[in-house]
Structure formats: C-alpha cells, structure tokens
Amino acid sequence: MKRIISVIMCLVLIGCAFAGCAKQEDLKSDIVLITNGASVNDGGYNQSTWEGITSFAEESSMKCRYFQPVLEDGKITVENVEKYVELAAQGGAKYIVLPGSEFSVSAYELASSYPDISFILIDGIPHSAGDNVNRFVSNVMCVTFDDLQSGFLAGYISVVGGNTKLGYFGEFDSEESANYGAGFVQGAAYAADSLGIPVTLDWAEYDSALLDYQYDFTVTACYEKIDESKENTYKVNVVDGLGSGTYTEGTNVAIVANPAPEGKVFDKWEVKSDTEGVKDKKVNISSKSKSTMNLIVEKCDCTITATYKDIEGTNYSVDVMTADGSEISSTYNVSENGECEVTAPIAAANTVFDHWETNSMVTIEDTQSATTKISEVNEDVKLTPVYKISDAPTFNLTVVTGEGGDGTSKGSGSYLAGDRVNVVSAPPKDGYMFSHWENADAYGNSTGIAMDNEYNYSTGFDMVDRYSAICDTMYNHGVTTIFAGGNSKAESAFTSKWNYDYDLSVITAGTENKDSYTSIIKNYGEAVKDCLSSFKGGSVVLADCSTDGIYASFVSDDEDIKADYDKIYKALASGKIALTQVQGGAGYDFCELYNKEKPSKCLTLNGWFLKGVSLK
C-alpha cells in the first residue's frame, strides 16, 4: 500500500513539485535536494545549495533534481520529508541534500532506513524530536559553520569602515549568538588595535534575565486649545455614540453607535444643525442606516443621535464576561437563530487570549480566536474568555488621556507582536479639540509603531516587535553599527535603523540581506560541493575561511581596505589568528572573561547586563 501511495504521489508531483538538471520525464537522478519549502531561486540557502549541486553534477557528469515540499502549517515535518525521500529513493538517488537545521530531526529519523543513500545535512546535526542532543548517523555527513570567524569578519569590517561605536544585538538562549558576538568583539578589537583608535562596543541580549529593560510603552491622546487653532472649528455632539469633539472644516470623523439596549437594535441616525442659518441637510454623513459611518465636517456645529428600535420577534442577549466571569464586559442583542461577532476584552499584562467557554448551545466559529462569530442563538448566552500566561513575549501598552481630554482613552492592554491594536481617545473638554497621538517608551525612544492616522481620535496599528527598543537605545547612545548575527530577532535591528537614520548600519549573518551594510554569508553551495566530492558518513565538518565556507558580501569601496581584508581572511584560514571560544555557551560568560583579562588596548566592551551598567 505504501508503494502504491508513493507512486500516486509521484504522478501528482511531476511538473509542479520538483525540477532539476534532468528532464522531468526522466525520474532517475543521482543527487536530490529537498528544499525547506521555498524555491531554488529564493536568493538564500536553497539557491546557494542548488547552485553548488548543479555545479558539482555538471563537473561529475551526474544527474540532479530538487523537490520543493508543500509545507504543513508552514513547517517542515518528518512525515512531509519522508514522502520526498521515498521519491528520491525510487529515482535511484545516491545523495540526498537537506539544507538547514529544520531537517535535523528528519535526518535522524529517516536516514537509517535508507542505508544505501548518503545524506548531507547542512548547518545542522541530527537529533531526536524530544531533545537537542547531537546524534551521529553512519550515512549522514553534517556541515556546521564557524560562527566565531563570521563574527570576527563582521567586527573587523565595522571598524576599518570607520565605525568606532559598535553594538551587538544578541540572544541569551543561543550558543550560536554567543559565538557570533564573541567573534565580533575580537574582530573589532583586532582592527582597533591595528589602527590604534579607541572603540566601544555595547553588547545586549534582548531575552536575558540579567538585562532589566522595559519594553512597555505609552500612547498619549493629545489635545489643543481651540483658540490656538488657526482654522475655523466646529463642534460635533454625538449622542449614544463615539465621535464627539471639535474639528476643523473638512475633517473626516468616524461615528460609531453605542451597543443597542436590551431588546433593541440600531435603527438610524438623526442629524441636526446647531448653527443658525445652516439647514440640517448640510450635516454631511455617509449613511443614516449604518451604525458605523463617517461625517465630513462642514461649516456648522451639529448633533448626531443614534436611535434604536425594538427587535422583531424573539431576541436574546449575548454577554461577553470579564476574564474572572464576575462582570459583563459587553452585550450583544441577537434575534432568534441570529448571529453576531464578539470580541474578548483586551488581555491583562503578560497574558494572551486562549479560548472561549460557554454552557450555551450556540455555534462558536473559532473558539481560539479573540474575535469570532456566534451563530444559531436560541437562548441568552454567556461567553467567558479564558486567558493564559503567554509563551511568546507580550508587550504592555498604556493609553493615556492628555491635558484637555475628558475621561479614559481606550486601548490599554497586553499584546503580542502582530496583534491589531485599536485606540480611541477620550472626548475633549470644552474649549479643546483632539490634536494627535504621541508614543514613547520608558527611555524616551520611538516605539516603532505606525498608526493608520495619528491625527484621528480613533485609529489603530499593528503591534511591533518591541525588541527593537534595545537597538533604539544603542543608537541613542551614539552607536553607528549593530551586528545581529545568530539572533532570531535580527529584524528588530532594521526596525530601529528605519526609526533613526538610513545612514546607520546593520550587519547580518547567514544569507544576503539587501538592507544590510554587509552580510557574513554561510556558503551552502561550497559546503555541499565539498561534501559531495569527499563524503564521509557519521562526521561533522566545519565550514570556515579555510574552506571558503563563509565570506562577506561587501567589504569596502576602498582598494587598500579590501587588500587588508584579504590578508585577514587568509590569516583566519591558516590559523594564524586564533580566536577565544565562548565558555559555557553564554555571551555573559564571554563578556565577564573579556573584561577580566582586558586583551585589547583600544576596545572597551560594555556588557549591558553586567553589574553597574545603566541603560538610561
């Protein structure tokens, strides 16, 4: 049965799931690449690996092809990979290449079942799904990359490029990150000592418990006195709804009716001009029948009133409770067999919405979504949102009403990166009008958020990855170049750069990044060629400068600097420059050792998590 299923899969996949050097009608191949779901033209690891395979195949008169798996929930799984390994085996594959650590479990669980095939795992070592203990399989050859040398090249290029205030944005829970950082320090120190110039390097790890950094921030609704406005202003009074305030002519105001009272539904808006000589029809609203609509402010004050009517037939209430179930957070009135969309209250600090609970016989479209649809309502319904402590980092937002506001502004809560955040300012006091929104974190830095309209009293934004605040603080201290090698949150450094100045630099590691000053590339193509030319199962080889396994995508436009870089590269390759390994796998340990031994005359290392160092 398994073979029949595999043959059917093969027929389905022809022409859409794989391609290669061989003609598609010829399924025989010597070397097979299984990508991580992306194409071989992704500009990253898959492309580099494929170029190495095709180059070797051409030189060796071998046939090659690749499979591009359809991922399950965006992830590579053992079951998914096994299908393509079986297809490769049926095609007579001698080598199967797996590019990336996401294949580590697959290599461990599958390779031994195909003893006649040689597997090459790049940038990873086999391990079981239950732990990260390295396992060595007799027909799997592994390639790892020298993170110390990569970091060294990044540090060296930073200083010879004219930067004297550097930052390392690291990840505490990552040995890879610690080694990238240690190499970065040593490369910067080597260049600083060679040039005889003082260099400082700030090292911070976003997830370190030793780093007491405040990621929370505040959004403030700001108001201005009407007599300070240079334009004519008009007062809008919304009864039983949101949108009241004083606005300039031409302003587009979102008007939203309050939830209907029990037994009622929204009916229509009634509008009235409050300026003598201006007719009611001059009040320019987009709809009288929709509970949410827009007003274009004309040359008159006005009153807009939400009106409601009785629900025809039987109706029921849908009560959304607070997290502890003690109070009603919001109520929705629904006709018999009707439906409504409900939204859970904003999560408390450091928690996230988990699921809905109810004893009622209703249909909940998605019990795990904070906003979902309730249907088939045939009784009064009580919905209780359940929250949990977040596994992923949450960021706490406080929405503040500034001077001139009357009441509490909405939107405060705890959010994950990517969550949609909606904020609504409190109505202005008499004599004031809403002006704009301001935001700042605990250190006075920009938060990186991008509001839909910062001049609208009701607006929204997507919560950003607030770890960019670490880099904001570095730039605020005068840092001009940040290295984010080995950090899964490396994109935060770019978020911060764009907040400040495009002339500031970010250096990345792994694959080429078009926004980076330079990237220290892991050369998958060269690594796979080396493995194919001299395969040795059960071994782990280190790709470094001696194997052309790493290189910088850009060094400098200066020919002298390029020549010096070439000398340094050769010195690393020959072992003339020996680097200090990270002890214990933690950047904290390296920083303590470095500051104790003081190996450089010119570089000062500021580990932000070390005692006595302040971020403010």
Side-chain angles (χ1 to χ4, degrees):
M1 177 63 71
K2 182 177 180 182
R3 182 173 179 83
I4 293 173
I5 292 173
S6 298
V7 171
I8 292 173
M9 274 196 59
C10 182
L11 293 173
V12 171
L13 288 169
I14 292 177
C16 61
F18 59 85
C21 307
K23 294 181 180 179
Q24 290 193 1
E25 62 268 20
D26 180 5
L27 297 179
K28 297 296 181 181
S29 52
D30 301 298
I31 309 169
V32 172
L33 166 67
I34 301 176
T35 79
N36 62 5
S39 77
V40 292
N41 297 313
D42 65 352
Y45 294 139
N46 293 297
Q47 182 169 336
S48 178
T49 306
W50 183 238
E51 289 172 350
I53 290 172
T54 54
S55 174
F56 180 86
E58 184 176 349
E59 294 169 2
S60 307
S61 299
M62 300 177 77
K63 294 181 179 181
C64 62
R65 69 171 58 253
Y66 68 85
F67 294 103
Q68 183 179 336
V70 177
L71 302 186
E72 300 174 11
D73 296 326
K75 296 181 180 179
I76 285 285
T77 65
V78 174
E79 294 74 20
N80 190 295
V81 174
E82 185 176 16
K83 300 171 186 177
Y84 299 96
V85 171
E86 177 69 13
L87 284 174
Q90 291 175 9
K94 299 175 182 177
Y95 300 94
I96 294 178
V97 182
L98 307 173
S101 60
E102 59 261 58
F103 289 96
S104 296
V105 175
S106 296
Y108 174 69
E109 295 194 8
L110 299 177
S112 58
S113 298
Y114 299 87
D116 296 330
I117 299 177
S118 298
F119 288 78
I120 298 172
L121 175 61
I122 306 177
D123 208 9
I125 299 177
H127 63 78
S128 70
D131 59 53
N132 288 316
V133 177
N134 293 338
R135 317 277 180 165
F136 300 97
V137 184
S138 61
N139 61 329
V140 179
M141 184 175 186
C142 306
V143 180
T144 60
F145 292 83
D146 195 321
D147 302 329
L148 278 170
Q149 287 191 359
S150 294
F152 187 96
L153 294 176
Y156 181 83
I157 291 171
S158 296
V159 174
V160 298
N163 299 283
T164 58
K165 291 189 176 182
L166 314 179
Y168 180 64
F169 180 47
E171 185 172 350
F172 181 82
D173 236 358
S174 167
E175 184 175 353
E176 179 185 29
S177 172
N179 280 311
Y180 270 122
F184 186 63
V185 171
Q186 293 172 78
Y190 188 97
D193 290 343
S194 299
L195 297 172
I197 57 175
V199 172
T200 60
L201 195 155
D202 292 342
W203 179 317
E205 295 168 333
Y206 76 89
D207 57 343
S208 172
L210 303 171
L211 178 63
D212 185 20
Y213 198 95
Q214 297 299 314
Y215 295 106
D216 305 339
F217 67 100
T218 300
V219 169
T220 303
C222 300
Y223 305 82
E224 63 179 331
K225 289 185 177 180
I226 292 176
D227 59 4
E228 294 177 356
S229 175
K230 297 180 181 179
E231 302 178 71
N232 292 330
T233 58
Y234 302 94
K235 188 171 183 178
V236 176
N237 179 34
V238 179
V239 180
D240 281 335
L242 296 174
S244 294
T246 303
Y247 304 95
T248 56
E249 182 185 358
T251 301
N252 190 339
V253 183
I255 307 294
V256 182
N258 289 337
E262 185 175 353
K264 304 277 188 179
V265 292
F266 176 81
D267 183 22
K268 64 180 184 300
W269 294 101
E270 293 180 350
V271 296
K272 179 178 178 299
S273 168
D274 295 329
T275 299
E276 187 176 350
V278 178
K279 296 181 180 180
D280 293 345
K281 65 180 181 180
K282 287 293 186 180
V283 181
N284 186 359
I285 64 173
S286 61
S287 173
K288 284 191 175 183
S289 60
K290 293 183 179 180
S291 60
T292 297
M293 56 85 178
N294 292 321
L295 162 73
I296 304 297
V297 177
E298 303 286 3
K299 294 180 179 179
C300 66
D301 298 334
C302 65
T303 296
I304 303 175
T305 304
T307 64
Y308 305 85
K309 64 181 180 180
D310 293 334
I311 296 178
E312 295 180 2
T314 306
N315 65 90
Y316 302 100
S317 63
V318 177
D319 293 333
V320 175
M321 311 303 290
T322 55
D324 60 7
S326 63
E327 298 179 12
I328 297 175
S329 172
S330 57
T331 297
Y332 304 82
N333 294 303
V334 184
S335 59
E336 189 172 13
N337 292 318
E339 63 183 28
C340 66
E341 186 175 81
V342 298
T343 299
I346 297 171
N350 304 316
T351 66
V352 291
F353 175 85
D354 187 50
H355 66 277
W356 292 99
E357 289 184 352
T358 182
N359 292 326
S360 303
M361 298 297 292
V362 295
T363 299
I364 303 175
E365 187 173 79
D366 186 350
T367 60
Q368 295 182 312
S369 173
T371 296
T372 190
K373 183 182 290 185
I374 308 298
S375 59
E376 300 181 36
V377 178
N378 289 301
E379 60 181 317
D380 290 333
V381 177
K382 180 187 291 184
L383 293 171
T384 301
V386 178
Y387 300 84
K388 66 177 182 179
I389 301 298
S390 175
D391 295 329
T394 62
F395 306 110
N396 300 322
L397 165 67
T398 302
V399 182
V400 175
T401 301
E403 181 182 356
D406 186 15
T408 302
S409 297
K410 300 177 181 180
S412 296
S414 181
Y415 299 91
L416 293 168
D419 280 353
R420 186 64 181 169
V421 181
N422 296 305
V423 294
V424 180
S425 70
K429 294 178 180 178
D430 287 341
Y432 285 85
M433 61 184 293
F434 176 79
S435 173
H436 63 284
W437 294 96
E438 291 182 352
N439 64 85
D441 65 12
Y443 307 101
N445 294 324
S446 168
T447 63
I449 65 171
M451 289 189 166
D452 297 338
N453 185 348
E454 63 185 289
Y455 300 103
N456 195 315
Y457 82 95
S458 176
T459 190
F461 59 89
D462 294 329
M463 176 59 73
V464 298
D465 179 354
R466 281 285 295 140
Y467 291 131
S468 62
I470 286 284
C471 301
D472 285 351
T473 304
M474 287 184 178
Y475 287 137
N476 198 41
H477 285 177
V479 165
T480 58
T481 295
I482 289 177
F483 180 43
N487 189 344
S488 60
K489 302 294 184 184
E491 188 62 30
S492 298
F494 290 104
T495 300
S496 180
K497 164 187 164 66
W498 296 325
N499 289 342
Y500 274 77
D501 188 339
Y502 283 90
D503 290 336
L504 298 170
S505 296
V506 177
I507 297 178
T508 56
T511 57
E512 178 109 36
N513 188 309
K514 63 181 178 59
D515 296 314
S516 177
Y517 172 76
T518 186
S519 298
I520 309 303
I521 307 295
K522 292 180 178 180
N523 193 345
Y524 275 39
E526 191 65 34
V528 75
K529 286 181 67 176
D530 290 344
C531 291
L532 288 168
S533 62
S534 55
F535 182 85
K536 184 178 180 181
S539 68
V540 180
V541 296
L542 183 67
D544 57 13
C545 293
S546 67
T547 65
D548 292 326
I550 56 175
Y551 63 91
S553 62
F554 172 75
V555 178
S556 173
D557 293 324
D558 187 298
E559 293 300 325
D560 291 335
I561 292 178
K562 288 181 182 178
D564 288 339
Y565 167 81
D566 289 340
K567 292 178 183 177
I568 294 300
Y569 193 94
K570 291 177 181 177
L572 287 169
S574 66
K576 290 182 179 179
I577 298 178
L579 303 182
T580 301
Q581 291 280 344
V582 172
Q583 302 300 315
Y588 172 81
D589 296 322
F590 173 81
C591 289
E592 278 203 321
L593 179 65
Y594 188 93
N595 280 285
K596 179 180 178 181
E597 296 187 351
K598 303 185 187 308
S600 172
K601 296 179 180 178
C602 295
L603 185 134
T604 301
L605 174 60
N606 300 317
W608 282 9
F609 37 68
L610 299 180
K611 186 177 180 181
V613 177
S614 173
L615 296 179
K616 298 181 180 179

